[in-house]
Amino acid sequence: DQNDLSIKLKVYDSISFFQKTIEDYEWPRTTEAFKVLSDEKNFNIKIDDILKNISFPILHNLPEPQHKDTTLIGRKDELKKLNKYMSSNRGTLVSICGPGGLGKTALALEYCHQLVTSEDSLFSRIVFFSFKEEDLLDEKFSENSLKSFEGLVEIVDEDFSYHLNNISEVVDYLDSEGTLIVIDNTETLSKEEILEFYWKFENAKILITSRIGLGEVEIRIDLQPLDFKESRYLFRQLANTEEVIEVLSLHEEDIDTIIKQLQTPLGLKWFFRLLTQGFSTDEILEKRDDLIEFCTKGIFQGLTENDLKTISCLYDSSKSMSIGELSFYTDTNISETEVSIHNLNKRSLIYKKRER
């Protein structure tokens, strides 16, 4: 009919544009659909039968992946969990939690960029914004971070060319099942601020990164340190990308010592950044307190006296301890010890050892 003809003409007008847009993606289903549409012999084919096979590029404002020079190392299990949780209808708020430097933002961006290049994407729009106040590797980072959720009005205007007047209008605009909202570094906000924002949405999915997490309503992914094999691989990758391969001539024992002292992906990147600036290995390791202070900033806020006694006891013992042992050595009852363990575990300051 006339309406179907009008739709077909609009589709044909759009074919060349979308073909250029997706030429960097390996989308065989969509490519084949465009091929069918471009063939005049298929002009009378029912348009809906073709359009259902077309994936359109996701609208997004994602920054470049933080690991574009080395690719993301490890985190396969965490990526599977993210995909599982985001595909589920059971919850709309997912958090990636862990101390600074473990790669929470890198994991979130990797997942989002995989969505962008996937033909079977779950979302049609991804909105990314960060509350990060400082970056150990980028002094200018804070210039692009938000101070409050009201800043979303400007982000939607600048990144999506959609002018809105206030946060309520932003919520109405974004609240759809096809929208993923990524909020980076939420530990600079109070739990109440995050939840107040979250409860405004009924349909959009929300992914947050935090050193502490919320402790409620969220589906939580606790990020663990890379295993030693992965850290060694990252060390060698960074040595090559930063063009300081002479560090690879160190004895294996010395390289392992450096890795153990720096511990995190951020720590290794920081190490190689300072190497390129002319610092020696010994000088960098002497500055390690700067790294530790950055990675643990804010994570001890809100801990009780019992929490601090518990973590001090574990640190002094240098080994795993049972709840009973911790209760005895900290002179607290079992219930108080369990609360402290929960608080410390929530901040990824301790890990529970699984029984075999």
Side-chain angles (χ1 to χ4, degrees):
D1 59 23
Q2 189 67 32
N3 185 51
D4 194 43
L5 176 62
S6 175
I7 293 174
K8 279 193 173 105
L9 290 173
K10 289 181 180 178
V11 170
Y12 281 114
D13 288 340
S14 303
I15 287 174
S16 60
F17 169 76
F18 279 113
Q19 282 179 321
K20 291 178 181 178
T21 304
I22 69 161
E23 61 186 11
D24 292 332
Y25 302 152
E26 295 182 5
W27 286 0
R29 199 180 69 228
T30 301
T31 301
E32 179 61 26
F34 280 143
K35 183 178 178 181
V36 172
L37 283 169
S38 301
D39 192 338
E40 292 181 3
K41 292 184 296 185
N42 298 320
F43 192 79
N44 290 323
I45 292 178
K46 241 186 138 176
I47 199 73
D48 290 344
D49 293 338
I50 304 174
L51 289 180
K52 67 184 179 182
N53 287 322
I54 294 180
S55 294
F56 294 97
I58 296 177
L59 295 174
H60 69 87
N61 64 337
L62 295 169
E64 287 289 325
Q66 295 184 336
H67 47 274
K68 60 182 180 180
D69 293 329
T70 61
T71 70
L72 186 69
I73 295 171
R75 307 307 186 201
K76 290 182 179 179
D77 290 342
E78 289 85 353
L79 284 168
K80 287 180 181 178
K81 285 182 181 179
L82 270 173
N83 192 58
K84 175 184 175 182
Y85 297 154
M86 287 298 174
S87 303
S88 170
N89 294 322
R90 295 183 62 184
T92 56
L93 176 61
V94 177
S95 66
I96 302 172
C97 300
L102 282 183
K104 300 182 294 296
T105 302
L107 175 61
L109 288 176
E110 174 68 15
Y111 171 71
C112 290
H113 279 286
Q114 286 188 9
L115 286 175
V116 169
T117 56
S118 169
E119 189 169 24
D120 298 314
S121 296
L122 296 170
F123 304 99
S124 59
R125 175 173 52 200
I126 302 175
V127 182
F128 178 94
F129 56 101
S130 179
F131 286 95
K132 182 179 284 191
E133 294 181 337
E134 59 180 327
D135 191 303
L136 193 65
L137 304 178
D138 184 0
E139 295 179 354
K140 297 182 179 180
F141 187 93
S142 60
E143 295 177 4
N144 301 317
S145 64
L146 296 186
K147 305 302 179 187
S148 73
F149 283 111
E150 294 296 330
L152 260 178
V153 176
E154 186 176 347
I155 284 181
V156 170
D157 191 353
E158 292 183 355
D159 295 347
F160 296 92
S161 302
Y162 205 93
H163 180 69
L164 299 166
N165 296 307
N166 53 58
I167 192 65
S168 295
E169 292 184 3
V170 169
V171 171
D172 290 339
Y173 170 66
L174 296 179
D175 194 16
S176 68
E177 292 182 357
T179 297
L180 171 61
I181 300 169
V182 184
I183 314 173
D184 187 41
N185 280 84
T186 56
E187 64 272 1
T188 58
L189 303 170
S190 69
K191 181 172 70 174
E192 290 72 23
E193 286 178 295
I194 301 169
L195 290 176
E196 182 182 355
F197 178 78
Y198 165 67
W199 290 121
K200 295 177 186 290
F201 293 87
E202 296 181 2
N203 302 299
K205 293 269 190 176
I206 297 177
L207 173 63
I208 70 172
T209 70
S210 174
R211 297 185 180 188
I212 299 173
L214 300 175
E216 54 184 293
V217 305
E218 62 188 325
I219 300 174
R220 180 178 173 124
I221 297 174
D222 285 305
L223 214 56
Q224 307 294 331
L226 293 178
D227 66 38
F228 208 73
K229 183 178 179 181
E230 291 168 338
S231 294
R232 278 178 175 163
Y233 181 71
L234 177 58
F235 186 93
R236 295 183 178 280
Q237 289 287 94
L238 289 169
N240 284 294
T241 56
E242 296 292 340
E243 299 182 348
V244 283
I245 57 175
E246 61 271 13
V247 76
L248 298 178
S249 62
L250 294 171
H251 292 297
E252 284 292 326
E253 295 80 4
D254 294 331
I255 292 178
D256 288 351
T257 298
I258 293 172
I259 293 172
K260 287 177 183 176
Q261 292 196 52
L262 299 175
Q263 297 182 335
T264 65
L266 175 66
L268 294 176
K269 292 176 182 178
W270 173 77
F271 172 79
F272 281 99
R273 176 65 59 86
L274 292 184
L275 275 181
T276 61
Q277 293 175 4
F279 290 92
S280 68
T281 297
D282 290 340
E283 288 172 332
I284 296 171
L285 295 180
E286 286 176 3
K287 293 166 64 69
R288 195 166 61 97
D289 285 350
D290 295 342
L291 172 66
I292 294 172
E293 181 180 354
F294 175 83
C295 291
T296 59
K297 186 176 182 180
I299 209 166
F300 292 100
Q301 292 177 0
L303 292 179
T304 67
E305 183 179 349
N306 283 343
D307 298 340
L308 295 173
K309 285 165 63 177
T310 300
I311 195 171
S312 296
C313 186
L314 282 167
Y315 180 80
D316 290 339
S317 72
S318 299
K319 65 177 183 178
S320 299
M321 298 180 71
S322 68
I323 293 177
E325 289 173 322
L326 284 169
S327 177
F328 175 79
Y329 286 114
T330 58
D331 194 25
T332 55
N333 62 49
I334 294 292
S335 296
E336 291 172 330
T337 302
E338 288 178 336
V339 170
S340 291
I341 289 173
H342 173 76
N343 290 338
L344 296 170
N345 187 56
K346 188 174 73 172
R347 288 166 167 78
S348 300
L349 289 170
I350 62 173
Y351 299 102
K352 293 182 179 179
K353 188 176 181 180
R354 295 177 180 173
E355 297 293 336
R356 294 186 177 182

